[in-house]
Amino acid sequence: MKFSVLVEVRLHPGIADPQGATIERALPALGFSEVAGVRVGKAIRFVIDAADEPAARAEAEDVAQRLLANPVIEETAVTVLGPPSVDGSDGAGG
Amino acid sequence: MKFSVLVEVRLHPGIADPQGATIERALPALGFSEVAGVRVGKAIRFVIDAADEPAARAEAEDVAQRLLANPVIEETAVTVLGPPSVDGSDGAGG
């Protein structure tokens, strides 16, 4: 059974995020003065073939920890989204 | 009122994703043969100060479209997550 998975990789709190800081500095010039605390991470989607939802989650967390994140500076959050959309081979929800 | 927001920026379906393809090629060597369709995007979190949830969503979608994504090749998905966590100034949920 196929499951669409979303892995969010984000910097641990306290790790400097120059990319986020740059976005934040650019916002007032565009008229957005109400935005703060910008942090930039990665959103990785894939489709996993597993027996059931817990098995899919376990394998996705293993992939996230071993391949997608640097655990020294990054943490991961895995969301199993259910079956991939009918049209897409990429599991990105069309 | 403050709202924590997550913006996912991902490539449109059909746009080549060499970063995702590289991850996918690396997976079998690590023992993950059940993973396919890897797509890499960005996950951007920030805190927005707005009157209510619809206002926060509208401004976040404006930020996402105008500053965070290249609409020629990318699409955005905005999720308003509610009030930021107590400890974090970054809204990243600690």
Side-chain angles (χ1 to χ4, degrees), chain A residues 52-94:
Chain A
D52 50 24
E53 196 270 351
R57 176 177 301 276
E59 185 160 349
E61 283 181 352
D62 206 13
V63 170
Q65 288 295 326
R66 288 178 58 195
L67 188 64
L68 302 180
N70 173 356
V72 177
I73 58 167
E74 290 169 330
E75 60 191 11
T76 60
V78 172
T79 310
V80 179
L81 302 164
S85 57
V86 179
D87 62 337
S89 60
D90 62 5

Short mmCIF file of all heavy atoms in Angstrom, two decimals, chain A residues 52-94:
data_model
loop_
_atom_site.label_atom_id
_atom_site.label_comp_id
_atom_site.label_asym_id
_atom_site.label_seq_id
_atom_site.Cartn_x
_atom_site.Cartn_y
_atom_site.Cartn_z
N ASP A 52 1.35 -0.89 6.25
CA ASP A 52 0.31 -0.09 6.88
C ASP A 52 0.89 1.26 7.29
O ASP A 52 2.09 1.52 7.10
CB ASP A 52 -0.31 -0.82 8.09
CG ASP A 52 0.76 -1.33 9.05
OD1 ASP A 52 1.87 -0.76 9.06
OD2 ASP A 52 0.49 -2.30 9.77
N GLU A 53 0.06 2.10 7.88
CA GLU A 53 0.46 3.47 8.19
C GLU A 53 1.60 3.52 9.22
O GLU A 53 2.56 4.27 9.02
CB GLU A 53 -0.78 4.25 8.65
CG GLU A 53 -0.63 5.75 8.65
CD GLU A 53 -0.11 6.28 9.97
OE1 GLU A 53 -0.03 5.49 10.94
OE2 GLU A 53 0.25 7.47 10.03
N PRO A 54 1.56 2.73 10.31
CA PRO A 54 2.70 2.76 11.24
C PRO A 54 4.02 2.34 10.59
O PRO A 54 5.08 2.92 10.87
CB PRO A 54 2.28 1.79 12.36
CG PRO A 54 0.80 1.78 12.31
CD PRO A 54 0.44 1.93 10.86
N ALA A 55 3.97 1.33 9.71
CA ALA A 55 5.19 0.89 9.03
C ALA A 55 5.72 1.99 8.11
O ALA A 55 6.93 2.24 8.03
CB ALA A 55 4.91 -0.38 8.23
N ALA A 56 4.80 2.67 7.41
CA ALA A 56 5.20 3.77 6.54
C ALA A 56 5.85 4.88 7.35
O ALA A 56 6.89 5.44 6.98
CB ALA A 56 3.98 4.31 5.78
N ARG A 57 5.24 5.21 8.51
CA ARG A 57 5.79 6.27 9.35
C ARG A 57 7.18 5.89 9.87
O ARG A 57 8.10 6.72 9.86
CB ARG A 57 4.85 6.52 10.53
CG ARG A 57 5.37 7.54 11.54
CD ARG A 57 4.36 7.79 12.65
NE ARG A 57 3.11 8.28 12.09
CZ ARG A 57 2.89 9.55 11.79
NH1 ARG A 57 3.81 10.46 12.02
NH2 ARG A 57 1.75 9.93 11.27
N ALA A 58 7.35 4.64 10.31
CA ALA A 58 8.64 4.22 10.84
C ALA A 58 9.73 4.32 9.78
O ALA A 58 10.83 4.83 10.04
CB ALA A 58 8.53 2.78 11.37
N GLU A 59 9.43 3.84 8.56
CA GLU A 59 10.45 3.90 7.52
C GLU A 59 10.73 5.35 7.12
O GLU A 59 11.89 5.73 6.91
CB GLU A 59 10.03 3.07 6.30
CG GLU A 59 11.15 3.01 5.25
CD GLU A 59 11.02 1.86 4.27
OE1 GLU A 59 10.19 0.96 4.50
OE2 GLU A 59 11.77 1.87 3.27
N ALA A 60 9.68 6.17 7.05
CA ALA A 60 9.87 7.57 6.68
C ALA A 60 10.72 8.29 7.73
O ALA A 60 11.59 9.12 7.39
CB ALA A 60 8.52 8.27 6.54
N GLU A 61 10.52 7.97 9.01
CA GLU A 61 11.33 8.61 10.05
C GLU A 61 12.78 8.17 9.96
O GLU A 61 13.70 8.96 10.20
CB GLU A 61 10.73 8.33 11.43
CG GLU A 61 9.51 9.21 11.66
CD GLU A 61 8.84 9.04 13.02
OE1 GLU A 61 9.21 8.13 13.76
OE2 GLU A 61 7.94 9.83 13.30
N ASP A 62 12.99 6.91 9.58
CA ASP A 62 14.35 6.41 9.39
C ASP A 62 15.03 7.14 8.22
O ASP A 62 16.17 7.59 8.33
CB ASP A 62 14.26 4.90 9.13
CG ASP A 62 15.54 4.17 9.52
OD1 ASP A 62 16.38 4.79 10.21
OD2 ASP A 62 15.68 3.01 9.14
N VAL A 63 14.30 7.27 7.10
CA VAL A 63 14.83 8.02 5.95
C VAL A 63 15.17 9.45 6.36
O VAL A 63 16.25 9.97 6.05
CB VAL A 63 13.80 8.02 4.79
CG1 VAL A 63 14.22 8.99 3.70
CG2 VAL A 63 13.63 6.63 4.22
N ALA A 64 14.26 10.07 7.09
CA ALA A 64 14.44 11.48 7.48
C ALA A 64 15.70 11.63 8.34
O ALA A 64 16.52 12.53 8.12
CB ALA A 64 13.21 11.99 8.23
N GLN A 65 15.85 10.75 9.32
CA GLN A 65 16.98 10.87 10.25
C GLN A 65 18.30 10.56 9.57
O GLN A 65 19.32 11.19 9.84
CB GLN A 65 16.78 9.92 11.44
CG GLN A 65 15.69 10.34 12.41
CD GLN A 65 16.01 11.65 13.12
OE1 GLN A 65 17.14 11.94 13.41
NE2 GLN A 65 14.98 12.45 13.35
N ARG A 66 18.30 9.53 8.69
CA ARG A 66 19.56 9.05 8.15
C ARG A 66 20.00 9.79 6.91
O ARG A 66 21.18 9.84 6.59
CB ARG A 66 19.48 7.55 7.86
CG ARG A 66 19.45 6.73 9.14
CD ARG A 66 19.33 5.25 8.87
NE ARG A 66 20.41 4.75 8.02
CZ ARG A 66 20.37 3.56 7.41
NH1 ARG A 66 19.30 2.80 7.53
NH2 ARG A 66 21.38 3.15 6.69
N LEU A 67 19.06 10.34 6.15
CA LEU A 67 19.43 10.89 4.84
C LEU A 67 19.06 12.36 4.67
O LEU A 67 19.76 13.09 3.98
CB LEU A 67 18.75 10.05 3.74
CG LEU A 67 19.17 10.36 2.31
CD1 LEU A 67 20.64 10.05 2.11
CD2 LEU A 67 18.31 9.61 1.33
N LEU A 68 17.98 12.80 5.29
CA LEU A 68 17.45 14.12 4.95
C LEU A 68 17.89 15.23 5.89
O LEU A 68 17.84 16.40 5.52
CB LEU A 68 15.92 14.07 4.90
CG LEU A 68 15.34 13.05 3.90
CD1 LEU A 68 13.82 13.08 3.95
CD2 LEU A 68 15.82 13.31 2.49
N ALA A 69 18.29 14.88 7.11
CA ALA A 69 18.62 15.93 8.07
C ALA A 69 20.03 15.73 8.62
O ALA A 69 20.54 14.61 8.67
CB ALA A 69 17.61 15.92 9.22
N ASN A 70 20.62 16.82 9.05
CA ASN A 70 21.83 16.78 9.84
C ASN A 70 21.41 16.92 11.31
O ASN A 70 21.05 18.02 11.74
CB ASN A 70 22.75 17.94 9.43
CG ASN A 70 23.95 18.07 10.33
OD1 ASN A 70 24.09 17.33 11.31
ND2 ASN A 70 24.84 19.00 10.01
N PRO A 71 21.44 15.82 12.08
CA PRO A 71 20.85 15.88 13.42
C PRO A 71 21.57 16.82 14.37
O PRO A 71 21.02 17.17 15.42
CB PRO A 71 20.92 14.43 13.90
CG PRO A 71 21.92 13.77 13.03
CD PRO A 71 21.93 14.50 11.73
N VAL A 72 22.78 17.24 14.03
CA VAL A 72 23.49 18.19 14.90
C VAL A 72 22.77 19.54 14.91
O VAL A 72 22.67 20.19 15.95
CB VAL A 72 24.95 18.35 14.43
CG1 VAL A 72 25.68 19.40 15.27
CG2 VAL A 72 25.68 17.02 14.50
N ILE A 73 22.28 19.95 13.77
CA ILE A 73 21.66 21.29 13.69
C ILE A 73 20.19 21.26 13.29
O ILE A 73 19.51 22.28 13.36
CB ILE A 73 22.43 22.21 12.70
CG1 ILE A 73 22.48 21.59 11.31
CG2 ILE A 73 23.84 22.48 13.21
CD1 ILE A 73 22.93 22.57 10.24
N GLU A 74 19.69 20.09 12.87
CA GLU A 74 18.32 20.06 12.33
C GLU A 74 17.45 19.03 13.05
O GLU A 74 17.94 18.01 13.54
CB GLU A 74 18.36 19.72 10.83
CG GLU A 74 18.92 20.83 9.96
CD GLU A 74 19.20 20.39 8.53
OE1 GLU A 74 19.51 19.19 8.31
OE2 GLU A 74 19.12 21.22 7.63
N GLU A 75 16.15 19.30 13.06
CA GLU A 75 15.18 18.32 13.55
C GLU A 75 14.19 18.04 12.42
O GLU A 75 14.04 18.84 11.50
CB GLU A 75 14.45 18.86 14.79
CG GLU A 75 13.68 20.14 14.55
CD GLU A 75 13.19 20.80 15.84
OE1 GLU A 75 13.62 20.37 16.92
OE2 GLU A 75 12.37 21.72 15.75
N THR A 76 13.52 16.89 12.52
CA THR A 76 12.59 16.51 11.45
C THR A 76 11.20 16.27 12.03
O THR A 76 11.04 15.91 13.20
CB THR A 76 13.05 15.21 10.75
OG1 THR A 76 13.10 14.16 11.70
CG2 THR A 76 14.41 15.39 10.12
N ALA A 77 10.19 16.51 11.20
CA ALA A 77 8.80 16.20 11.55
C ALA A 77 8.19 15.45 10.38
O ALA A 77 8.18 15.95 9.25
CB ALA A 77 8.03 17.48 11.84
N VAL A 78 7.73 14.23 10.63
CA VAL A 78 7.18 13.37 9.57
C VAL A 78 5.67 13.38 9.65
O VAL A 78 5.10 13.19 10.72
CB VAL A 78 7.72 11.94 9.71
CG1 VAL A 78 7.01 11.00 8.75
CG2 VAL A 78 9.23 11.90 9.48
N THR A 79 5.01 13.62 8.51
CA THR A 79 3.56 13.55 8.42
C THR A 79 3.19 12.55 7.33
O THR A 79 3.61 12.72 6.18
CB THR A 79 2.96 14.92 8.06
OG1 THR A 79 3.51 15.91 8.93
CG2 THR A 79 1.46 14.93 8.20
N VAL A 80 2.45 11.51 7.69
CA VAL A 80 1.96 10.56 6.69
C VAL A 80 0.60 11.06 6.23
O VAL A 80 -0.33 11.21 7.03
CB VAL A 80 1.85 9.14 7.27
CG1 VAL A 80 1.31 8.19 6.22
CG2 VAL A 80 3.22 8.67 7.76
N LEU A 81 0.51 11.36 4.92
CA LEU A 81 -0.66 12.08 4.40
C LEU A 81 -1.71 11.16 3.82
O LEU A 81 -2.75 11.63 3.37
CB LEU A 81 -0.20 13.06 3.31
CG LEU A 81 0.84 14.11 3.76
CD1 LEU A 81 1.48 14.75 2.55
CD2 LEU A 81 0.18 15.16 4.63
N GLY A 82 -1.46 9.85 3.79
CA GLY A 82 -2.42 8.94 3.18
C GLY A 82 -2.02 8.58 1.77
O GLY A 82 -0.90 8.86 1.34
N PRO A 83 -2.93 7.97 1.01
CA PRO A 83 -2.58 7.53 -0.33
C PRO A 83 -2.21 8.70 -1.23
O PRO A 83 -2.80 9.78 -1.09
CB PRO A 83 -3.85 6.83 -0.84
CG PRO A 83 -4.73 6.67 0.34
CD PRO A 83 -4.31 7.67 1.37
N PRO A 84 -1.26 8.51 -2.14
CA PRO A 84 -0.93 9.60 -3.07
C PRO A 84 -2.10 9.90 -3.98
O PRO A 84 -2.96 9.06 -4.22
CB PRO A 84 0.27 9.05 -3.86
CG PRO A 84 0.27 7.58 -3.64
CD PRO A 84 -0.44 7.31 -2.36
N SER A 85 -2.11 11.13 -4.51
CA SER A 85 -3.19 11.54 -5.40
C SER A 85 -3.16 10.72 -6.68
O SER A 85 -2.13 10.20 -7.08
CB SER A 85 -3.06 13.03 -5.72
OG SER A 85 -1.80 13.28 -6.30
N VAL A 86 -4.31 10.62 -7.34
CA VAL A 86 -4.46 9.70 -8.47
C VAL A 86 -3.56 10.09 -9.64
O VAL A 86 -2.90 9.24 -10.24
CB VAL A 86 -5.93 9.68 -8.93
CG1 VAL A 86 -6.11 8.76 -10.13
CG2 VAL A 86 -6.81 9.23 -7.79
N ASP A 87 -3.49 11.41 -9.91
CA ASP A 87 -2.77 11.84 -11.10
C ASP A 87 -1.25 11.79 -10.92
O ASP A 87 -0.52 11.43 -11.82
CB ASP A 87 -3.17 13.27 -11.47
CG ASP A 87 -2.81 14.26 -10.38
OD1 ASP A 87 -2.67 13.81 -9.23
OD2 ASP A 87 -2.65 15.45 -10.67
N GLY A 88 -0.79 12.16 -9.70
CA GLY A 88 0.62 12.48 -9.55
C GLY A 88 1.48 11.27 -9.27
O GLY A 88 1.16 10.46 -8.41
N SER A 89 2.59 11.18 -9.93
CA SER A 89 3.58 10.18 -9.57
C SER A 89 4.50 10.70 -8.48
O SER A 89 5.28 9.97 -7.92
CB SER A 89 4.41 9.81 -10.79
OG SER A 89 5.07 10.96 -11.28
N ASP A 90 4.38 11.99 -8.19
CA ASP A 90 5.31 12.59 -7.24
C ASP A 90 4.72 12.71 -5.84
O ASP A 90 5.41 13.14 -4.92
CB ASP A 90 5.78 13.96 -7.72
CG ASP A 90 4.63 14.93 -7.85
OD1 ASP A 90 3.50 14.59 -7.48
OD2 ASP A 90 4.87 16.03 -8.33
N GLY A 91 3.44 12.36 -5.68
CA GLY A 91 2.84 12.44 -4.36
C GLY A 91 2.68 13.85 -3.83
O GLY A 91 2.44 14.04 -2.65
N ALA A 92 2.80 14.83 -4.70
CA ALA A 92 2.75 16.21 -4.24
C ALA A 92 1.32 16.74 -4.21
O ALA A 92 1.09 17.92 -4.08
CB ALA A 92 3.61 17.10 -5.13
N GLY A 93 0.35 15.88 -4.34
CA GLY A 93 -1.03 16.32 -4.29
C GLY A 93 -1.44 17.08 -5.54
O GLY A 93 -2.30 17.94 -5.50
N GLY A 94 -0.83 16.80 -6.65
CA GLY A 94 -1.16 17.47 -7.91
C GLY A 94 -0.55 18.84 -7.95
O GLY A 94 -0.95 19.68 -8.69
#
